[in-house]
Amino acid sequence: MISGKYKLRIVWDLKDGPLRYSEIRSGLLRGVTGSQEIAPRVLSRELKALTENGLVDRKDYGIIPPKVEYRLTAKGRGFVPVVAAIRDWGERHLRDGAAVAKQIAAE
């Protein structure tokens, strides 16, 4: 359900409300230096998988120009605390790793 490079990040970005495709795409690039942009095909595939698994809802407004929004379902909102715990764990261990690296460098 959540395997892959981008799914957790997409769920995390949708926690604050619905986003359009371009907003999700730009959110995935935020804070990443030297990273290549996500290919449109890859992002579309990730969003489709999240939709099929019931974590994300896709709303097509059926207008021209096209307007499509993605939002978390109840199942997706229930998963946000899990993503938050994973994020917190990562931040704690990154800090611990940085402190150990500084200590080793000082010796």
Side-chain angles (χ1 to χ4, degrees):
M1 284 179 106
I2 56 157
S3 65
K5 186 174 179 179
Y6 300 103
K7 287 186 184 88
L8 289 176
R9 292 171 61 197
I10 292 168
V11 169
W12 185 253
D13 283 350
L14 289 173
K15 75 183 181 331
D16 296 323
L19 294 173
R20 295 179 72 172
Y21 178 93
S22 60
E23 295 169 322
I24 295 169
R25 187 167 187 225
S26 64
L28 291 175
L29 299 174
R30 186 181 54 241
V32 180
T33 53
S35 175
Q36 292 182 335
E37 289 188 22
I38 182 173
R41 182 176 173 202
V42 173
L43 179 53
S44 294
R45 186 179 59 223
E46 297 286 86
L47 287 167
K48 184 176 181 180
L50 287 167
T51 301
E52 288 173 351
N53 287 320
L55 295 170
V56 171
D57 181 48
R58 179 183 189 273
K59 182 174 182 181
D60 186 343
Y61 287 86
I63 59 173
I64 303 293
K67 180 180 178 183
V68 177
E69 287 182 339
Y70 296 88
R71 62 178 42 95
L72 292 177
T73 62
K75 186 177 183 180
R77 286 189 303 275
F79 186 59
V80 169
V82 176
V83 178
I86 292 169
R87 187 172 186 264
D88 292 344
W89 181 89
E91 286 178 351
R92 267 194 322 275
H93 287 83
L94 281 173
R95 279 194 307 266
D96 293 348
V100 169
K102 280 184 182 179
Q103 185 179 20
I104 290 171
E107 293 175 355

